Amino acid sequence: MTYLEAIRAGLRQEMQLDPRIVIWGEDVGVRGGVFRVTEGLQQEFGEDRVIDSPLAEGAIVGVAIGAAIGGLRPIPEIQFGDFIFPAMNQIVEEAARMRYRSNNDFHVPLVIRAPIGGGIHGALYHSQSVEAFFAHVPGVKVAVPGTPYDAKGLLAAAIADEDPVLFFEHKAAYRSLRGEVPEERYLIPLGQAEVKREGKDLSIITYSLMVNYALRAAETLQQEGISVEVLDLRTVRPLDQARILETAKKTGKVLIVHEDNRTGGIGAEVSAILAEEALFYLDAPIRRLCGPDVPAMPYSPPLEHAFMITPEKIAQAARELARF
Amino acid sequence: MVEKVLMPQLGESVTEGTIGQWLKNVGDSVEKYESLLEILTDKVNAEVPSPASGVLARILVQAGETVPVGTPIAEIEVAGEAAEVAPQAEPAPAAPSPPAAVVDAPAAPAHPGPTERGRYSPAVRRLAQEHGIDPSRIAGSGAGGRVTRNDVLKAVAERTAPPTAPPAPTAPSAPVAGAPEPPREVAGVAPVPAGPVEPGDRVEPLSNIRRVIAQRMTQAKATVPHAWIMVEVDVSGLVALRERWKAKFREEEGFNLTYLPFMLRATVEGLKAVPQLNAQWNGDSIIYKKRINLGMAAATDRGLVVPVIRDADQKNLVGLAHAVHDLTERARSGRLKLEDLSGGTFTVDNTGAVGTMLTYAVINPPEVGIVTMESIVKRPVVVGDAIAIRSMVNLCLSFDHRVVDGADAARFLNVLKRHLESLGPDSSIY
């Protein structure tokens, strides 16, 4: 099952179990979404539960917040993460703060789905990584699944969560990643990282599509005699501090990989945790391999390739760190 | 608070020391100045007093390991009220160079090598400290020779690995005392292999002091071209002098007057007359020492010790007698301080005390000579044209022929001879 099919299966399964779940967004109904994630859901659950919305992200999220407070479990879709910014005010100012500001009288059980990331020739407005903006905000959770299995389990947990969750799907993973996904329902708790590969020479801490790339790099390095551990964060808020420290203490060398640009990224937060809590276990400077600090993903294929993190780039950075 | 115990500076040219044995265990309480451990240096061992009262919290360097001067070797949890007074108020008495030894800095690498050799990651520092390992002594496998975490872990694993079993003795009944460590070579010379262990033989592993003595002796004999001469001295006058003063001296000073102070006094005269013997070989130069610091070899039940009388030329006979008495007493009770054991410029060996007539002593480099005073015996000798019974003694000198020629060496012994023979019952000892 592909990453995309896992998400669709998860949506269908949750909608079958819970009639309060409604989906709306641009082209999610008749067309089944631009990536076809919601394909077939309108036919199955009807126009009242899978709704095509106007092209207005602020309204999509704003309406969803009201519906959530009113008792539904809305799962709005933002067609591309790049377009989530018109809804920023709704997410940060309303959804994230609602429980706190109403002293627990209201809460917002809302899952906002949006594809992120590049590498699909999407250029400036269809390639951005936006997770770090939201990871900064107390009151929301941010899931960034890296495998089909995790995508379905995290989605179930996000829907079950009583507070707003941003669910960021990597669009390059939709059809490129395949994996075993059980038919029965399962939940992967938000805030639990997972060691995707055990190793002893260094740790790669990453998430989303880069988990797969890191695993491929680890495979390459295995043949060179370098043993790489890969930790998949799975959610970037909350961060699983215990597992981050555990892997760092185990190997003493940490390479943080994300496609999002470097400055103020998730890697900075992970680095700070390590510096604060694991200094005396570090055998090498913490290293980050990130997207460059340029305004956006270029359209030109060579430039896009230069921007993107690849398994080869990860292997090279890990190799250097292992040699240190 | 925690007081760090650092490897003390044992002498100007000494850069490292070996832990002989810990006299206290972790958790033991220890008084300030109480002996804490033994350190091996040159051919002697010495006890290091505790710099503070408290509890020995951690031992950072285990017995048998050699670490650079200034390396933390233990931590003492300073006792409650002592904490106010003890810290750094005064340097540890065992530290002749206080700035080097009492600095409370964290283990700065004593041997900074190429850039990456002296720089340690936090993980390496932590592991090295936890396991009492000096990272500067570990071969680095990282970039630029950096010592990595794995290098430290490997060193720890190697250290704690059980010693390899000794070759099976030919006779299984041979009682082997403990498992000897794998033989470590003491100098760069191929050792002659021992014969087979036969029934009834006892195999005893080298003690640390034995190992150091072996190393120093091999080095001295292998690198210093020894030459040897002897004179015979009529000390009848000296014997009479001592007889005359014996009782009074004991009464006034509280201990017995021996012949050794006279010998030391004579040696000072000799060194002043022949400075070539108060010198050090320095590869492409010779260092003539200004100070005259006399080492006096003494056998104790803890092994050979050579405490040093500093500025022996500035002491009169009674002063020398007191110095000899003091050092001998402390050597026997194991209370010598490290500064008592270093800085010698020449050595006097009172071999007469063990009943010998001739000794070919081994030089203690970088010194260039060692003189022995043999047993004083009554012998028939020709005096003028008569035969008389006189108290005679042999003085033997081993000297480094690179620095000292035979004529100078003979001149030196003759100065001693003349000096000792000039003494008589009427000479003054004060």
Side-chain angles (χ1 to χ4, degrees):
Chain A
M1 190 180 284
T2 63
Y3 184 89
L4 182 146
E5 288 162 349
I7 295 165
R8 185 194 292 144
L11 287 170
R12 178 180 289 119
Q13 192 164 52
E14 296 302 317
M15 290 182 81
Q16 286 165 347
L17 290 168
D18 188 344
R20 296 175 300 165
I21 295 174
V22 291
I23 290 174
W24 65 77
E26 296 157 13
D27 294 326
V28 296
V30 176
R31 189 168 166 78
V34 288
F35 290 101
R36 305 287 185 273
V37 175
T38 53
E39 190 167 51
L41 297 181
Q42 195 179 53
Q43 287 93 315
E44 186 173 346
F45 299 104
E47 290 185 7
D48 291 342
R49 292 187 68 191
V50 182
I51 304 162
D52 282 317
S53 73
L55 207 158
E57 286 78 11
I60 292 170
V61 175
V63 170
I65 291 170
I69 294 171
L72 295 181
R73 312 288 283 199
I75 310 179
E77 178 185 302
I78 302 295
Q79 200 168 65
F80 286 89
D82 315 55
F83 306 141
I84 203 168
F85 299 109
M88 196 80 177
N89 183 61
Q90 292 296 327
I91 296 167
V92 176
E93 295 292 337
E94 306 296 340
R97 311 211 200 285
M98 187 62 72
R99 183 186 285 279
Y100 189 84
R101 120 182 177 211
S102 69
N103 197 24
N104 257 342
D105 286 347
F106 303 107
H107 63 279
V108 185
L110 169 75
V111 178
I112 303 169
R113 289 182 43 250
I116 56 164
I120 53 135
H121 312 308
L124 275 71
Y125 293 115
H126 301 84
S127 302
Q128 296 173 31
S129 298
V130 298
E131 64 274 16
F133 294 111
F134 298 98
H136 184 63
V137 180
V140 300
K141 301 185 180 72
V142 183
V144 280
T147 68
Y149 178 89
D150 287 350
K152 189 176 175 217
L154 288 170
L155 181 65
I159 294 169
D161 202 277
E162 295 296 333
D163 291 296
V165 177
L166 289 135
F167 194 85
F168 291 130
E169 306 155 7
H170 201 292
K171 60 181 81 74
Y174 274 150
R175 292 168 203 285
S176 68
L177 296 191
R178 291 180 171 276
E180 291 291 316
V181 180
E183 263 186 39
E184 62 272 21
R185 184 170 185 259
Y186 59 94
L187 276 69
I188 295 173
L190 303 173
Q192 287 192 6
E194 186 185 49
V195 175
K196 287 286 198 283
R197 181 193 175 98
E198 300 255 1
K200 58 181 176 55
D201 292 333
L202 68 105
S203 301
I204 297 178
I205 299 179
T206 186
Y207 57 89
S208 194
L209 178 67
M210 294 303 134
V211 173
N212 181 262
Y213 288 6
L215 289 169
R216 280 154 67 179
E219 197 60 44
T220 306
L221 293 173
Q222 181 71 42
Q223 289 156 19
E224 299 171 18
I226 299 170
S227 166
V228 178
E229 179 148 311
V230 177
L231 182 72
D232 177 3
L233 292 172
R234 300 203 290 200
T235 59
V236 294
R237 183 181 191 100
L239 282 172
D240 188 343
Q241 180 154 337
R243 284 195 176 78
I244 290 170
L245 295 176
E246 200 175 291
T247 190
K249 289 178 178 180
K250 178 181 175 190
T251 65
K253 292 180 177 178
V254 174
L255 170 65
I256 302 161
V257 179
H258 55 65
E259 183 185 325
D260 196 0
N261 62 301
R262 181 186 183 91
T263 302
I266 301 302
E269 184 60 28
V270 173
S271 300
I273 289 171
L274 294 173
E276 284 170 348
E277 305 290 338
L279 179 67
F280 296 108
Y281 294 85
L282 293 179
D283 191 33
I286 299 163
R287 184 153 182 184
R288 287 180 287 168
L289 180 66
C290 310
D293 276 323
V294 297
M297 182 85 65
Y299 181 61
S300 146
L303 289 179
E304 182 185 43
H305 184 76
F307 183 109
M308 280 299 287
I309 307 292
T310 62
E312 292 71 36
K313 288 180 191 173
I314 296 174
Q316 185 51 32
R319 205 175 276 126
E320 284 165 16
L321 187 58
R323 267 203 296 262
F324 180 82
Chain B
M1 71 159 278
V2 170
E3 176 94 15
K4 279 200 168 76
V5 183
L6 306 179
M7 173 61 74
Q9 177 94 30
L10 312 172
E12 298 82 358
S13 61
V14 180
T15 56
E16 57 183 30
T18 303
I19 309 287
Q21 60 171 323
W22 286 95
L23 303 173
K24 297 284 176 186
N25 295 317
V26 170
D28 288 357
S29 56
V30 60
E31 295 295 316
K32 190 168 185 178
Y33 302 131
E34 196 183 347
S35 293
L36 192 58
L37 73 154
E38 269 184 8
I39 289 183
L40 310 181
T41 157
D42 295 347
K43 27 187 217 176
V44 303
N45 59 355
E47 291 180 4
V48 177
S50 173
S53 296
V55 172
L56 180 56
R58 300 214 299 162
I59 289 178
L60 303 174
V61 180
Q62 300 300 326
E65 284 184 48
T66 303
V67 293
V69 168
T71 305
I73 54 178
E75 287 176 1
I76 289 172
E77 191 70 49
V78 178
E81 72 270 29
E84 263 85 79
V85 256
Q88 298 128 331
E90 43 197 316
S97 317
V102 267
V103 174
D104 199 37
H111 300 308
T115 331
E116 296 304 333
R117 284 289 304 160
R119 297 171 73 196
Y120 305 118
S121 71
V124 165
R125 282 175 185 266
R126 179 181 56 85
L127 286 169
Q129 197 181 24
E130 278 175 11
H131 295 285
I133 278 186
D134 175 6
S136 71
R137 305 185 70 84
I138 298 175
S141 69
R146 190 183 75 94
V147 176
T148 69
R149 190 184 72 142
N150 283 343
D151 293 334
V152 180
L153 290 174
K154 204 181 293 172
V156 171
E158 277 165 14
R159 192 183 62 182
T160 52
T164 50
T170 47
S173 59
V176 176
E181 284 182 58
R184 265 194 280 160
E185 197 150 334
V186 291
V189 186
V192 180
V197 179
E198 291 171 357
D201 292 354
R202 196 162 55 87
V203 179
E204 205 174 89
L206 284 185
S207 66
N208 282 310
I209 180 109
R210 204 67 252 154
R211 192 185 299 282
V212 173
I213 290 173
Q215 193 161 14
R216 298 282 301 166
M217 291 299 117
T218 309
Q219 194 180 29
K221 287 296 273 188
T223 63
V224 178
H226 284 59
W228 184 87
I229 55 170
M230 183 191 92
V231 296
E232 126 181 291
V233 182
D234 183 342
V235 286
S236 305
L238 170 60
V239 170
L241 175 63
R242 176 168 168 270
E243 280 304 312
R244 203 192 128 205
W245 279 96
K246 214 161 70 172
K248 191 163 190 288
F249 187 91
R250 161 127 211 114
E251 197 177 299
E252 286 184 4
E253 309 297 336
F255 58 91
N256 288 330
L257 180 62
T258 67
Y259 292 113
L260 185 55
F262 296 96
M263 178 62 183
L264 293 171
R265 186 78 212 113
T267 303
V268 167
E269 295 298 322
L271 292 175
K272 279 179 174 171
V274 187
Q276 288 91 330
L277 275 158
N278 197 50
Q280 291 179 355
W281 173 256
N282 190 36
D284 55 358
S285 61
I286 294 167
I287 302 167
Y288 294 98
K289 302 301 285 184
K290 179 171 170 58
R291 297 177 70 177
I292 296 180
N293 300 333
L294 291 184
M296 44 172 266
T300 71
D301 52 6
R302 313 165 81 82
L304 175 66
V305 196
V306 190
V308 172
I309 299 169
R310 287 175 188 275
D311 299 316
D313 54 328
Q314 293 171 17
K315 289 183 162 63
N316 68 5
L317 195 96
V318 175
L320 288 169
H322 272 282
V324 168
H325 174 70
D326 171 52
L327 289 173
T328 312
E329 282 297 297
R330 287 196 287 122
R332 286 189 182 139
S333 58
R335 303 200 59 82
L336 283 177
K337 292 183 279 179
L338 289 171
E339 73 229 43
D340 295 329
L341 293 162
S342 56
T345 60
F346 188 84
T347 300
V348 177
D349 196 351
N350 184 23
T351 51
V354 292
T356 58
M357 293 300 293
L358 289 178
T359 307
Y360 188 178
V362 180
I363 296 165
N364 184 18
E367 295 171 22
V368 296
I370 178 168
V371 69
T372 71
M373 184 188 206
E374 305 292 333
S375 304
I376 296 173
V377 289
K378 285 189 173 176
R379 279 215 304 270
V381 292
V382 175
V383 180
D385 283 336
I387 293 173
I389 295 171
R390 306 290 295 177
S391 291
M392 302 299 291
V393 70
N394 293 333
L395 305 185
C396 305
L397 173 71
S398 298
F399 58 94
D400 183 342
H401 215 320
R402 293 173 301 187
V403 178
V404 185
D405 288 337
D408 294 328
R411 198 151 56 83
F412 169 80
L413 279 189
N414 279 311
V415 172
L416 269 67
K417 177 182 168 81
R418 271 201 306 279
H419 179 82
L420 292 172
E421 289 184 344
S422 73
L423 297 172
D426 298 330
S427 303
S428 169
I429 67 166
Y430 283 99

